[in-house]
Amino acid sequence: MAIVSRKEEKIKTVLDELPENFTDKQFVETFIKQYSRDWGKIKAQYLKQAQDKEEGTVITMPKPDLYLLSLLKIYKDRQQS
């Protein structure tokens, strides 16, 4: 099950709110403002993985802000192809 449903739609909505030369920080802040419930899901999933991991294992999910930026990169890559 995906952490964030309708990712592409939500990313597009966030991008529509931002200036052309936005920063990563602006993207994350705008996403949090518009989709606080999804941000909560992302943070909860990250914390769950961190708490459930066995000693010596690596958390596979990036930190919440990096997770959002990876979604943005995937979205941009798809738009260019």
Side-chain angles (χ1 to χ4, degrees), residues 12-75:
K12 182 180 182 326
T13 301
V14 171
L15 292 176
D16 289 344
E17 290 281 319
L18 293 169
E20 188 173 321
N21 294 321
F22 64 90
T23 64
D24 290 347
K25 182 178 178 182
Q26 287 174 310
F27 175 79
V28 172
E29 288 172 350
T30 304
F31 185 93
I32 293 169
K33 184 171 63 173
Q34 290 185 347
Y35 300 105
S36 60
R37 181 172 284 164
D38 287 311
W39 177 247
K41 288 180 190 178
I42 293 167
K43 287 188 345 184
Q45 184 63 30
Y46 179 79
L47 290 173
K48 182 178 181 329
Q49 280 195 19
Q51 292 170 350
D52 291 349
K53 80 177 189 94
E54 294 180 23
E55 189 174 323
T57 60
V58 177
I59 299 172
T60 57
M61 181 179 176
K63 291 182 179 180
D65 57 335
L66 296 177
Y67 176 82
L68 275 182
L69 295 175
S70 71
L71 293 180
L72 175 61
K73 182 184 180 318
I74 291 167
Y75 176 83

